[in-house]
Amino acid sequence: MRTPLVLVLLASSRAFAQVPLPDPPFLPQNASAGASPSTAAIPNAQWSSLLGNLLYFYEAQRSGKLPSTNRVKWRNDSALTDGQDVKLDLTGGLYDAGDYIKCTFPLSFTVMSICWGATDFGKGYDLANQTPYLDDMLRWSLDWLIKAHPANNTLFVQVANEEVDNAYWGGDRNIPLPRPSYQINDTSPGTDAAAGTAAAFAACSNLYANRIFSNSYSGPATLQNATYATTLLEHAKQLFTFATSASGGQAVYQHSVPEVGKAYASSGYGDELAIAALFLSWATNSSSLYQQAQGYWQQYSLSSYDGVFNWDNKTPGLPVLFAQIAQANPTFGGNASTWQTVAEKYFDGIVYGGGPGYQTRGGLLYYKGDSDDASLNPSLNAAMLLTRYVPLASTQSRRNDYRNYANAQVNYALGNNPMQAPYIVGANPNSPQNPHSAMASGGNNISDINTSPPQEAYVLYGGVIGGPDKYDRFFDIRADWPETEVALDYNAPMLTLAAMHVLNDTADPFYTSLKAGAYDSKKPQGMPCDDAYTDGCSGPQLSQGGKIVLGVIPGLTGLSIFSLLVWWAMISLRRAHDPLY
């Protein structure tokens, strides 16, 4: 007897059913609530609220037909024809940043990072009553990635043209057409994109299957669904095979699809192959895949990299994951102490110095180049990896130092910085007021982004912005995208960090100590110096407070300073005219 189709669909619906959403729903509070301390407790109300806001941001980034449970009332259905050019349904998913393109490479990194975090620190979501929204966010993202993988050796890596999209500034009802769909396939491969998406599917399969790494962590968020985990794992396996066996060979994905290189060009694929093999080894209980990942580490000389962890380079996360799995299952053949040594060489370079990163005067971990266009992202990703690694550290002093360093980076992002600004939209009265977001701005004049309208039309609650410059200055200018743009991957490390703090921290986030007007008193004069603006490239400008302090100095020690300056000028002139002096 054949089972009626309706019963099959009902059974499938129940098997894939997500965690029920709260009724009434969680909604962000006015920013003024972020200036009010809460009662010391676990879970801390302010950390729980922050975790909720960070997830809410992803709901504001949704593309496609919005569900009846949509909480972001100023958002509309959008981009409902995506995929029609290839006769597929590619609607849905998330817009990658402050614009309207959809990009698989950074999205897969984002969900990989969030699923990894929710596997280790998932009980933080449970305590904050945010697990339903975590499940909702992940499924909205993963279901689109499933759509983007319609065949074993095909993966759509971008929807919409970068140049067309960048020429539009306006709301989600008039997104310009056409929106072409770009793919990699067997003859036009993209090893990095295929392996990176495989890693995302495998990491999230682990979460939905409740595959814990260690009792040293809180354990996964309570959203287990064996059927969904199996579906995700099947896509992970297919994509990993595609990445390693495409008839067109192995290549970075912009080699096959030059269009993607305009926004998210990849620097290599060895790191994606290694991290995909690692997450798959845990998902399938495969020692051979673990050994394969170790082979990639050697083959691609990944040990020589000491830079940032981000959507392009996953290498710094590898020793941590190698160590987690080796400790959890020694039969895989990994040596936990060896990977401890590798991880601690990298982390020591951050915490004790010697690596390519340095601390700004205000205390922000900064990497020349990588931090210039989004300074908080390298810092928060480092803090997330450090905090995850703490239970694995070889000495108590390292455990303490790593934890303290990570907390300092989090506190910087949450307002303990020279600007006294928490860099999360809507968290506090001193939060950024002008995030670079076409949909939230309410404007439609691309030649006058900053003042049309003068005030952002909608509050993009929970959006982590790019961050301050290397002088710790933040100008809060809407068109200054290196400082004010939001992005999917910017929120990912802060989500995991907030979940960690919900679990363990009775004290409020730092920003609750900041009263309205704190940032205004510190806001720098002049203009930024970055990829969006060159007006301020003559050097850092002092805030009004700094100018006042500088003005007081001559009144106190003016004669001494003037005398020293005259002496130095005479010495300099003599040196300039007499090479033997």
Side-chain angles (χ1 to χ4, degrees):
M1 178 179 174
R2 297 178 64 184
T3 305
L5 179 59
V6 66
L7 293 181
V8 173
L9 293 174
L10 284 172
S12 175
S13 176
R14 283 195 295 270
F16 280 81
Q18 65 185 61
V19 179
L21 295 170
D23 186 15
F26 168 86
L27 293 172
Q29 295 179 288
N30 185 278
S32 60
S36 302
S38 66
T39 304
I42 291 181
N44 176 276
Q46 286 284 4
W47 280 110
S48 297
S49 179
L50 174 59
L51 186 63
N53 286 7
L54 292 164
L55 282 169
Y56 182 90
F57 163 76
Y58 287 104
E59 200 161 317
Q61 294 295 112
R62 284 180 172 179
S63 177
K65 178 72 176 174
L66 301 182
S68 61
T69 55
N70 171 49
R71 295 177 291 164
V72 189
K73 299 308 179 185
W74 50 270
R75 283 299 323 281
N76 304 283
D77 298 343
S78 60
L80 298 180
T81 62
D82 282 358
Q84 285 188 2
D85 59 323
V86 290
K87 296 180 172 57
L88 291 172
D89 176 12
L90 294 178
T91 61
L94 301 169
Y95 298 122
D96 79 300
D99 47 24
Y100 296 105
I101 62 172
K102 299 191 297 195
C103 303
T104 299
F105 200 41
L107 173 62
S108 60
F109 168 77
T110 298
V111 295
M112 180 200 77
S113 176
I114 293 172
C115 283
W116 188 11
T119 300
D120 287 341
F121 304 99
K123 298 308 178 191
Y125 291 95
D126 289 355
L127 285 173
N129 197 29
Q130 289 298 323
T131 297
Y133 295 112
L134 170 67
D135 185 33
D136 196 35
M137 175 268 163
L138 288 174
R139 286 172 182 264
W140 190 271
S141 306
L142 292 163
D143 288 352
W144 186 81
L145 289 174
I146 289 172
K147 285 184 178 183
H149 181 223
N152 288 0
N153 293 344
T154 300
L155 178 68
F156 284 87
V157 292
Q158 184 170 307
V159 176
N161 178 277
E162 173 78 3
E163 292 179 357
V164 172
D165 193 69
N166 283 342
Y168 173 71
W169 184 263
D172 55 13
R173 293 181 183 271
N174 299 298
I175 299 172
L177 297 173
R179 289 173 57 81
S181 308
Y182 301 92
Q183 65 170 278
I184 55 173
N185 53 48
D186 188 52
T187 55
S188 298
T191 311
D192 39 13
T197 310
F201 279 129
C204 294
S205 176
N206 289 333
L207 171 62
Y208 279 95
N210 204 37
R211 300 184 191 105
I212 64 173
F213 290 112
S214 168
N215 291 330
S216 299
Y217 304 98
S218 79
T222 310
L223 43 62
Q224 282 65 54
N225 186 301
T227 306
Y228 197 51
T230 299
T231 297
L232 298 177
L233 184 55
E234 284 305 309
H235 282 275
K237 291 176 180 177
Q238 292 167 6
L239 282 163
F240 187 67
T241 300
F242 171 33
T244 56
S245 307
S247 65
Q250 294 186 327
V252 291
Y253 77 139
Q254 68 263 24
H255 178 77
S256 297
V257 188
E259 172 65 25
V260 301
K262 298 174 184 176
Y264 291 102
S266 170
S267 61
Y269 50 79
D271 53 322
E272 281 85 20
L273 287 170
I275 205 161
L278 272 180
F279 277 121
L280 274 166
S281 75
W282 191 241
T284 60
N285 195 32
S286 170
S287 60
S288 63
L289 279 169
Y290 187 90
Q291 297 299 322
Q292 193 171 340
Q294 291 192 132
Y296 291 136
W297 178 269
Q298 297 295 331
Q299 179 182 349
Y300 295 102
S301 302
L302 299 179
S303 62
S304 64
Y305 181 81
D306 59 358
V308 302
F309 178 71
N310 62 13
W311 59 266
D312 178 38
N313 206 309
K314 291 82 175 176
T315 299
L318 288 170
V320 180
L321 188 55
F322 271 121
Q324 281 185 305
I325 295 175
Q327 184 187 73
N329 193 339
T331 66
F332 275 18
N335 188 317
S337 63
T338 296
W339 289 110
Q340 276 181 315
T341 300
V342 175
E344 289 175 8
K345 178 183 177 183
Y346 175 77
F347 290 136
D348 284 357
I350 292 174
V351 175
Y352 304 126
Y358 67 93
Q359 283 195 30
T360 64
R361 289 186 178 182
L364 177 67
L365 174 63
Y366 201 95
Y367 290 81
K368 184 178 180 180
D370 282 297
S371 297
D372 293 344
D373 286 346
S375 62
L376 291 175
N377 193 239
S379 161
L380 291 175
N381 273 318
M384 179 268 293
L385 289 177
L386 279 164
T387 309
R388 168 178 279 115
Y389 183 76
V390 163
L392 303 172
S394 61
T395 64
Q396 185 60 47
S397 62
R398 278 194 173 92
R399 284 191 283 275
N400 293 338
D401 292 345
Y402 289 3
R403 183 185 296 108
N404 292 339
Y405 190 96
N407 286 340
Q409 296 305 303
V410 173
N411 286 338
Y412 183 103
L414 298 184
N416 190 13
N417 56 62
M419 296 288 98
Q420 294 189 11
Y423 294 119
I424 300 179
V425 180
N428 175 275
N430 299 285
S431 291
Q433 302 298 305
N434 295 290
H436 182 91
S437 167
M439 65 180 86
S441 75
N444 56 19
N445 184 355
I446 197 168
S447 64
D448 189 16
I449 291 175
N450 290 333
T451 60
S452 178
Q455 181 177 340
E456 202 99 353
Y458 309 105
V459 180
L460 193 58
Y461 285 104
V464 177
I465 60 155
D469 66 11
K470 62 186 177 182
Y471 303 113
D472 300 293
R473 302 177 303 170
F474 176 67
F475 292 86
D476 200 13
I477 298 172
R478 196 177 300 156
D480 187 25
W481 58 264
E483 291 195 5
T484 59
E485 189 162 22
V486 294
L488 303 179
D489 60 305
Y490 295 178
N491 270 49
M494 186 57 90
L495 259 180
T496 296
L497 289 161
M500 296 171 184
H501 282 275
V502 169
L503 279 167
N504 303 308
D505 209 339
T506 59
D508 288 332
F510 183 86
Y511 56 70
T512 61
S513 65
L514 298 175
K515 301 306 178 186
Y519 168 68
D520 289 338
S521 70
K522 302 291 184 179
K523 186 174 182 178
Q525 304 295 308
M527 295 292 288
C529 173
D530 52 35
D531 284 346
Y533 284 97
T534 57
D535 307 50
C537 291
S538 59
Q541 305 293 316
L542 290 171
S543 67
Q544 188 63 32
K547 290 180 178 179
I548 291 172
V549 171
L550 191 60
V552 171
I553 292 174
L556 299 174
T557 58
L559 184 59
S560 298
I561 292 174
F562 181 75
S563 299
L564 286 170
L565 288 173
V566 170
W567 173 80
W568 179 250
M570 292 175 65
I571 293 294
S572 298
L573 285 170
R574 187 172 297 180
R575 282 177 173 168
H577 290 88
D578 186 354
L580 297 178
Y581 184 80

